[in-house]
Amino acid sequence: MRLKHKPWAKDKLNDFPQYVIANPEDCNGKWNEVFGNDHPLYIEVGTGKGRFITEMAKANPHINFLGIEVYESVIVHALDKLIESEIPNCKLLSVNANDLRNFFNKGEVSRVYLNFSDPWPKTRHAKRRLTYKTYLSIYEDILPDMGEIHFKTDNQGLFEYSLISMSHYGMLLNFISLDLHNSDYEGNIMTEYEEKFSNKGSRIYRVEAQFPSKK
Ligand code: SAM
């Protein structure tokens, strides 16, 4: 993604504490209090401009959603969507996925979504892929036993890599689509990247992967 420097983004994020959590380490173990209910919490890692997470929140009012994005200049667009639509069950974190263990107790997150994650095609950058084993281990630590990751991408190489990485980790691959938009899967909510690449004719791949039971 080409990033435009937006020096005002930080101030804007700070101006909306009802939507942007400034000190997520203080929320560890208390996300139900932050949202004011005991609904399940779904997170999207690498949320970008936030179309998926905000539309998911509108469609599922009894689930809490958190969009997680490392760049303030990008997540500020997700904030605009929350301000415009006044979505009470969606909030944002401008943090790096590496740090997620600091923000959530085991089992506090009920599902992890990864959408159109950066492919990092060079082998020497494999550790940066959000489906690399160290990231899978982070997700496992914040999900409940047998928690799930739902992953979509247009990138065949990243998809194949991710299936292998998840399998090596011992995860079960419960659902795989090699052409989501031409399948009978219902209720797909598109991301910004998904719309862009499917409009260019790219196929969309999707997997639902589940961690093994540790009991
Ligand atoms: N999910 C969105 C979509 O489908 O339109 C955005 C896809 S974009 C290719 C990937 C996003 O993941 C970027 O905005 C990037 O900054 C974010 N990202 C990559 N690595 C991350 C990390 N370690 N922690 C948080 N966000 C990350």
Side-chain angles (χ1 to χ4, degrees):
M1 180 182 290
R2 257 193 301 142
L3 286 179
K4 278 195 202 127
H5 182 53
K6 295 177 187 140
W8 45 268
K10 191 179 199 56
D11 287 342
K12 182 159 182 182
L13 295 173
N14 285 335
D15 283 346
F16 291 89
Q18 68 274 43
Y19 292 130
V20 184
I21 308 297
N23 298 306
E25 49 288 320
D26 297 342
C27 304
N28 193 330
K30 299 181 193 154
W31 286 100
N32 285 344
E33 287 172 38
V34 172
F35 281 93
N37 59 50
D38 59 1
H39 299 165
L41 176 61
Y42 290 4
I43 67 171
E44 183 189 18
V45 181
T47 212
K49 295 181 179 176
R51 174 167 161 192
F52 176 83
I53 201 82
T54 54
E55 293 300 319
M56 284 290 282
K58 283 193 229 170
N60 299 281
H62 298 299
I63 296 173
N64 298 324
F65 290 88
L66 261 183
I68 293 169
E69 166 57 51
V70 69
Y71 290 117
E72 291 170 340
S73 58
V74 177
I75 204 170
V76 77
H77 295 281
L79 174 60
D80 283 338
K81 294 180 175 77
L82 291 181
I83 296 168
E84 195 185 319
S85 302
E86 297 185 11
I87 308 169
N89 58 325
C90 186
K91 299 186 190 294
L92 303 171
L93 293 187
S94 189
V95 298
N96 194 309
N98 288 316
D99 299 325
L100 291 181
R101 286 192 187 93
N102 299 333
F103 312 141
F104 304 101
N105 273 344
K106 172 79 185 157
E108 215 175 359
V109 171
S110 295
R111 184 178 294 167
V112 172
Y113 288 100
L114 300 173
N115 291 316
F116 298 82
S117 309
D118 298 315
W120 295 108
K122 291 184 181 150
T123 306
R124 67 187 155 90
H125 291 147
K127 290 182 179 173
R128 299 181 189 179
R129 298 175 192 151
L130 289 181
T131 50
Y132 186 70
K133 62 186 173 186
T134 51
Y135 284 107
L136 298 181
S137 160
I138 292 173
Y139 310 142
E140 186 176 29
D141 284 350
I142 62 175
L143 284 163
D145 198 40
M146 301 183 77
E148 291 185 15
I149 300 174
H150 293 194
F151 172 54
K152 285 194 282 193
T153 181
D154 65 303
N155 189 296
Q156 186 183 351
L158 179 66
F159 192 67
E160 288 171 357
Y161 167 85
S162 301
L163 296 183
I164 293 168
S165 179
M166 289 165 169
S167 296
H168 280 173
Y169 199 87
M171 298 183 79
L172 294 173
L173 307 180
N174 289 335
F175 169 96
I176 295 177
S177 175
L178 301 180
D179 192 357
L180 184 66
H181 292 187
N182 291 304
S183 71
D184 52 12
Y185 180 80
E186 284 176 15
N188 183 46
I189 289 186
M190 293 240 266
T191 80
E192 278 91 351
Y193 270 66
E194 185 168 356
E195 181 167 49
K196 182 171 148 191
F197 289 112
S198 59
N199 283 346
K200 286 185 184 172
S202 299
R203 242 204 269 184
I204 306 301
Y205 303 90
R206 184 172 187 277
V207 59
E208 293 178 8
Q210 185 176 32
F211 286 101
S213 174
K214 292 242 158 129
K215 284 176 189 152

